[in-house]
Amino acid sequence: MSLKKWGLAALFVLAAFPTAAQEKTIVRLGVTPGPHAQVWEFVKPIAAQKGIDLKITEFSNYILPNEALNSGEIDANSFQHQPYLDNQVKGRNYKIVSVARNITFPLGVYSKKFKTWAEVPDGARMTIPNDPTNGARALLLLEKNGIIKLKSSVDLLPTVFDITENKKNIKIIEIDAAMSPRALDDADVGAINGNYAATAGLDAAKDALLREDATGPYANILVVREADKDKSWVKILREAYETPETKAFIEKTFKGSIVPAW
């Protein structure tokens, strides 16, 4: 074959496999430290095989990731559940939406002083998250276990002002969710989100005095800007996450304290 024909053949090969010469799509993803970061680091090479160069940034609180996404500093985030997102969108007029469920972090009540809820004395001091949705989760968990009663008119967002009965006179203290594990040194008990509990070495399946069901409205979600929700990279990112390999990694790593939600 002549050099000219070899050159034409090479061009045909490159045309048949264009992805070999294409750069990966960069996606900037915001997460909270701990399990979310761990799972997405596992997903990162899977996404790379599908043409996504995932740049992961960790945020230490629940406010900044949505602000950064809405302003365009990042392209997606993965740290929150739907009720929290709904509250943020309503209160801050963000143009961001959920595109997939990923993992569930059952909220639990923990203590360094007591092994069971039955041991918790009257008048005990209990911390709960101070953001509306996660504080509400703690109150609903207490009500489900017969510890308090709430107004019958509340839905998924009760506040401490909706408590109508508190037989053990539990002293409820609202604090930043990220501070909850450290607050156990001073409080008697504390309601702690699953991601912060896992980061602090607490196992929801073994250590929690009370624990949410794994199912329900509090599955964490992948969120993007409304303008991006139908873009191809969103579909690819979701597919990279929702693999049997990712599911097996979550189950092996977290042993039931965090569970797949897709």
Side-chain angles (χ1 to χ4, degrees):
M1 184 181 290
S2 68
L3 290 176
K4 183 177 181 180
K5 289 182 178 180
W6 272 112
L8 288 172
L11 287 174
F12 283 127
V13 169
L14 287 174
F17 300 98
T19 55
Q22 290 177 352
E23 292 185 359
K24 290 182 171 65
T25 299
I26 294 175
V27 175
R28 300 163 299 168
L29 175 74
V31 301
T32 43
H36 273 301
Q38 286 177 263
V39 177
W40 279 106
E41 287 292 348
F42 178 85
V43 171
K44 186 173 182 176
I46 302 174
Q49 294 173 5
K50 296 176 179 290
I52 298 292
D53 182 6
L54 199 57
K55 305 293 187 182
I56 300 172
T57 299
E58 296 185 14
F59 291 87
S60 60
N61 66 39
Y62 284 168
I63 302 299
L64 294 178
N66 281 337
E67 181 64 35
L69 176 58
N70 191 68
S71 67
E73 295 176 36
I74 58 176
D75 305 303
N77 67 43
S78 177
F79 76 99
Q80 64 194 313
H81 49 62
Q82 190 67 50
Y84 183 84
L85 174 64
D86 291 343
N87 188 64
Q88 287 268 292
V89 169
K90 181 179 179 181
R92 299 171 184 263
N93 199 32
Y94 289 149
K95 304 299 181 184
I96 57 179
V97 295
S98 169
V99 291
R101 293 160 62 96
N102 43 48
I103 49 181
T104 296
F105 295 77
L107 179 142
V109 173
Y110 300 86
S111 176
K112 290 187 175 181
K113 301 176 181 178
F114 309 107
K115 298 296 184 182
T116 67
W117 182 263
E119 298 174 24
V120 177
D122 290 358
R125 295 173 302 153
M126 177 179 180
T127 62
I128 69 171
N130 63 2
D131 63 275
T133 51
N134 289 302
R137 290 172 71 181
L139 296 176
L140 291 169
L141 180 60
L142 293 178
E143 183 183 50
K144 183 177 180 180
N145 285 273
I147 297 158
I148 63 172
K149 286 186 179 180
L150 298 167
K151 293 177 183 176
S152 59
S153 59
V154 300
D155 49 16
L156 290 177
L157 290 174
T159 72
V160 291
F161 300 107
D162 295 313
I163 298 173
T164 59
E165 187 176 305
N166 182 356
K167 290 182 178 179
K168 295 188 78 166
N169 194 30
I170 301 298
K171 308 298 184 185
I172 295 176
I173 305 162
E174 296 175 286
I175 64 172
D176 183 85
M179 299 296 296
S180 299
R182 269 185 269 173
L184 285 182
D185 290 332
D186 298 315
D188 297 305
V189 289
I192 304 177
N193 293 72
N195 58 327
Y196 291 126
T199 302
L202 298 169
D203 186 333
K206 297 178 181 178
D207 301 328
L209 280 60
L210 308 172
R211 182 191 180 202
E212 280 180 333
D213 294 332
T215 59
Y218 298 111
N220 280 217
I221 49 182
L222 176 65
V223 179
V224 301
R225 288 183 293 279
E226 287 182 0
D228 292 337
K229 65 183 178 67
D230 295 320
K231 290 186 177 178
S232 59
W233 64 262
V234 175
K235 181 175 184 290
I236 294 170
L237 194 60
R238 178 175 181 172
E239 290 173 349
Y241 197 100
E242 296 176 358
T243 63
E245 292 81 8
T246 305
K247 184 177 182 180
F249 171 79
I250 293 168
E251 292 173 343
K252 180 179 179 180
T253 304
F254 303 109
K255 298 178 173 60
S257 61
I258 296 164
V259 295
W262 70 90

